[in-house]
Amino acid sequence: MTDKKNSPWQLFEESSKKYGNNICVINNKEILTYNDMLEKINEFSDFIKQYDFKMCSIFLPNSSYFICTLFALNKLNRVSVPLSFQLKGESLVNRIAFSDSECIITDLAGYQEIKKIKENITVKMIIVINDYGNYIVYKLSDVTKEINLENDIFGIFFTSGSTSEPKGVVTSNSAVCGNAVAEAELLNFNEKDRYLVIRSFSQIGPISGDILMPIYCGAAIVVMEEFFHPGIFLNIVEKFKVTSTFLVCTMLNQILSYPRLKNFDISSLKIMIMGGMPTPPNVRKEAAEKIPTVDLHVIYGMSEASVKITFLNPNELLTHEKSSGQPLNGVRIKILSYDGKEVPEGELGEIYIDTDYAANGYYKKEDLTKNTFTKYGIRTKDLGYLDSEGRLYIVGRADDVIIQGGNNIYPMEIKEVLLKNSEIKEAEVFGMEDKTLGSKIVSLVRLKENSVATVQDIHKWCRQNLEYKKIPKEVYIVDEMPKTSFGKITKTVLTQYVNNINAKF
């Protein structure tokens, strides 16, 4: 970041001076200007500064209260630990304990969950924001926790667990603001934009791209409940004249296949940012045909990079259909061989990210931090290559390579062939342990509406379009792809799904 804001609070404070009367947050029937939000933030920070705590869990749904809490804590140099509002029981206990949170800020609904585990957590206090915006404080203990963090830390953000168990990413003020500003400038965002937020605020991606990025420009944040339905999405876009949003591929698929899509006026929508999972070429093409007025930006990102890494220019959506685009300003990509040497252009290797927006590491995981945040940059464990103009192409994950009968198989290649089948809407390919082959190729597919294709039909398609060694050994037709609590499709949940099916027989 240049001479702009060094912390989220400073970024908000500066925008409130410039755009005080602009709408800042639209949440159901609630419409708040930047001046309104400034007042709420100052009021809440004045209230909580009397209490002695450093680390604070935010257990709130997407709302203006969440945004207010985030900035109030940052203003006081307290560390935020946003938690998914879907967490319950033991998983909630573990996140609070692992983060060393001394305080929990929640609402009345959240407090009902906290009460169930109150005997199993050690915090100084719980602050409850009631339906009237008042605060109730429950003091629980005088425990003092040893917290060793730098002064510039904005928060600890748990990853979505797309590749392994969730980890707490320690992110600085400057890193998250820098990434947000770079994204805003790339997209030419301005104060007239309205950004629809669908993702949970509990992760660094939505906070950087869906909150800080619009606020830097004086734009409005339109908050959607954490339940996605294409009809609700289209209605909100039409009602509030939304100009931009972030979606994952499964959401876009639902929108494109929604039978009443043409009944909604979504002409205000100019930008869709696609990330969180690969967006296959067939989906990109269908989006260009059905929503031609929207610029579709395909991105690649990760929590450890705070978050955006590459953007694919909408004009290259179909001409470079397998690419994830070029690096964001302040980001450099390296493709390395297994011995740490950069490989030539077009050659496959492991992707490393050298970025100005790198996180500080993983909380309380020194070995993992050393293995990920290396002298070459952030190790992604993704495999890919760069073309002559610096565009990134991702072929899969290093740890997702399927070694079947001694052959290295990349799931992405098989997935792309499956998605070219006119009967298939969605496909996932992964490896499972096999006594004979070492690993075997398994695929889950979701068919298009009214399709009557069978497993035998899909096997026939694979035999016609793939080398023998790349044909899935097992194919399962599913109504919906199994997902994590964060809404992500991971190898772990796919494997568990297949194991559960096989256990029934």
Side-chain angles (χ1 to χ4, degrees):
M1 199 166 62
T2 59
D3 60 344
K4 289 153 186 160
K5 316 311 156 271
N6 293 319
S7 74
W9 161 246
Q10 290 172 354
L11 185 149
F12 180 87
E13 187 178 35
E14 186 65 24
S15 288
S16 67
K17 292 175 183 176
K18 291 181 181 178
Y19 313 108
N21 293 322
N22 283 18
I23 294 174
C24 181
V25 178
I26 300 173
N27 185 198
N28 294 323
K29 296 180 180 179
E30 181 183 48
I31 298 179
L32 299 168
T33 66
Y34 277 79
N35 285 335
D36 294 333
M37 285 297 294
L38 179 64
E39 185 178 344
K40 287 168 69 76
I41 293 166
N42 285 333
E43 177 187 308
F44 193 45
S45 66
D46 286 344
F47 175 76
I48 61 177
K49 70 181 179 183
Q50 64 184 298
Y51 300 108
D52 179 27
F53 63 86
K54 178 68 174 178
M55 198 85 78
C56 181
S57 286
I58 305 175
F59 189 55
L60 289 166
N62 285 8
S63 62
S64 61
Y65 290 125
F66 190 113
I67 298 172
C68 172
T69 299
L70 197 71
F71 286 114
L73 290 170
N74 190 241
K75 179 182 177 181
L76 298 173
N77 198 32
R78 313 283 175 93
V79 179
S80 294
V81 185
L83 302 177
S84 168
F85 207 59
Q86 305 303 316
L87 289 172
K88 299 180 186 298
E90 193 65 24
S91 59
L92 184 55
V93 171
N94 291 340
R95 294 291 174 90
I96 294 169
F98 178 79
S99 67
D100 294 319
S101 289
E102 301 165 290
C103 175
I104 303 169
I105 297 176
T106 188
D107 63 4
L108 291 173
Y111 183 62
Q112 296 308 309
E113 288 299 323
I114 297 292
K115 279 203 301 185
K116 298 174 185 176
I117 62 168
K118 198 161 59 171
E119 300 303 317
N120 298 320
I121 58 176
T122 306
V123 295
K124 291 183 177 180
M125 69 195 69
I126 301 169
I127 300 174
V128 180
I129 305 172
N130 67 19
D131 293 338
Y132 302 99
N134 298 321
Y135 320 123
I136 307 167
V137 179
Y138 297 95
K139 293 185 178 180
L140 301 186
S141 72
D142 295 321
V143 64
T144 299
K145 298 184 180 181
E146 185 176 343
I147 300 169
N148 297 311
L149 287 173
E150 297 86 344
N151 289 329
D152 185 40
I153 299 306
F154 172 47
I156 295 175
F157 301 90
F158 288 98
T159 66
S160 61
S162 60
T163 58
S164 62
E165 285 300 308
K167 304 175 286 287
V169 180
V170 181
T171 305
S172 70
N173 290 310
S174 54
V176 69
C177 288
N179 197 271
V181 170
E183 181 182 1
E185 293 178 345
L186 175 73
L187 296 175
N188 293 315
F189 246 62
N190 61 62
E191 60 179 290
K192 295 181 181 178
D193 280 300
R194 291 189 171 189
Y195 194 103
L196 176 57
V197 184
I198 300 167
R199 302 181 288 173
S200 167
F201 286 167
S202 62
Q203 292 180 275
I204 186 60
I207 289 173
S208 173
D210 302 356
I211 297 178
L212 296 182
M213 193 269 284
I215 283 176
Y216 167 69
C217 307
I221 301 166
V222 183
V223 181
M224 184 174 173
E225 292 183 10
E226 295 176 49
F227 167 77
F228 183 82
H229 184 280
I232 297 173
F233 169 86
L234 293 166
N235 182 61
I236 291 175
V237 171
E238 180 180 72
K239 181 178 180 181
F240 294 112
K241 306 301 179 188
V242 169
T243 64
S244 53
T245 192
F246 180 101
L247 298 170
V248 296
C249 187
T250 50
M251 294 174 179
L252 180 58
N253 267 325
Q254 291 179 57
I255 293 167
L256 296 175
S257 59
Y258 190 59
R260 297 182 58 232
L261 172 60
K262 293 183 178 180
N263 294 353
F264 292 89
D265 177 7
I266 58 171
S267 58
S268 63
L269 191 59
K270 304 301 181 186
I271 294 176
M272 278 188 179
I273 303 169
M274 300 299 303
M277 59 189 295
T279 305
N282 68 313
V283 178
R284 301 182 188 191
K285 184 177 180 180
E286 187 178 357
E289 292 171 350
K290 289 188 175 181
I291 322 177
T293 58
V294 174
D295 283 341
L296 193 66
H297 292 258
V298 175
I299 68 102
Y300 170 59
M302 60 190 301
S303 299
E304 292 82 349
S306 303
V307 169
K308 306 297 193 331
I309 296 169
T310 64
F311 275 79
L312 181 67
N313 188 314
N315 296 329
E316 299 179 329
L317 189 68
L318 301 180
T319 57
H320 297 80
E321 61 181 21
K322 295 182 181 181
S323 176
S324 296
Q326 294 178 313
L328 187 68
N329 185 34
V331 178
R332 296 152 296 279
I333 295 174
K334 298 177 182 178
I335 308 295
L336 304 183
S337 61
Y338 290 110
D339 58 3
K341 295 179 180 179
E342 288 199 55
V343 303
E345 165 195 310
E347 189 172 312
L348 188 67
E350 188 169 346
I351 302 167
Y352 282 74
I353 309 301
D354 178 17
T355 172
D356 297 345
Y357 320 121
N360 291 39
Y362 299 112
Y363 191 57
K364 297 195 297 192
K365 291 184 180 289
E366 291 185 14
D367 289 343
L368 185 60
T369 296
K370 290 178 182 177
N371 290 333
T372 303
F373 297 85
T374 75
K375 63 181 180 180
Y376 307 109
I378 301 170
R379 185 184 183 190
T380 68
K381 294 189 178 180
D382 287 329
L383 297 174
Y385 61 93
L386 295 171
D387 68 13
S388 60
E389 295 181 313
R391 296 183 195 86
L392 177 65
Y393 294 77
I394 301 169
V395 302
R397 289 191 58 77
D399 47 10
D400 280 350
V401 174
I402 305 168
I403 304 176
Q404 179 177 270
N407 297 303
N408 286 5
I409 311 294
Y410 297 101
M412 187 69 73
E413 182 181 355
I414 303 169
K415 180 176 177 177
E416 287 175 353
V417 168
L418 286 167
L419 289 171
K420 288 179 180 177
N421 187 312
S422 60
E423 300 294 315
I424 295 175
K425 186 69 176 177
E426 193 176 358
E428 295 296 333
V429 178
F430 56 103
M432 291 186 66
E433 185 177 345
D434 184 84
K435 292 181 180 179
T436 303
L437 298 169
S439 292
K440 61 185 175 184
I441 304 169
V442 179
S443 176
L444 268 61
V445 299
R446 184 166 71 93
L447 302 176
K448 291 184 179 179
E449 192 174 354
N450 300 322
S451 172
V452 293
T454 65
V455 169
Q456 289 74 22
D457 295 329
I458 296 167
H459 271 300
K460 181 179 178 181
W461 174 264
C462 291
R463 289 195 299 271
Q464 292 172 341
N465 294 279
L466 286 167
E467 296 176 72
Y468 176 76
K469 65 182 180 181
K470 297 178 182 178
I471 296 171
K473 298 298 180 184
E474 296 177 12
V475 174
Y476 299 86
I477 295 175
V478 299
D479 293 328
E480 292 291 337
M481 287 293 174
K483 300 179 180 68
T484 67
S485 59
F486 283 95
K488 283 203 170 186
I489 298 170
T490 72
K491 183 179 177 181
T492 301
V493 296
L494 295 174
T495 301
Q496 186 62 52
Y497 180 86
V498 173
N499 285 336
N500 289 341
I501 292 176
N502 292 335
K504 296 177 182 177
F505 296 97

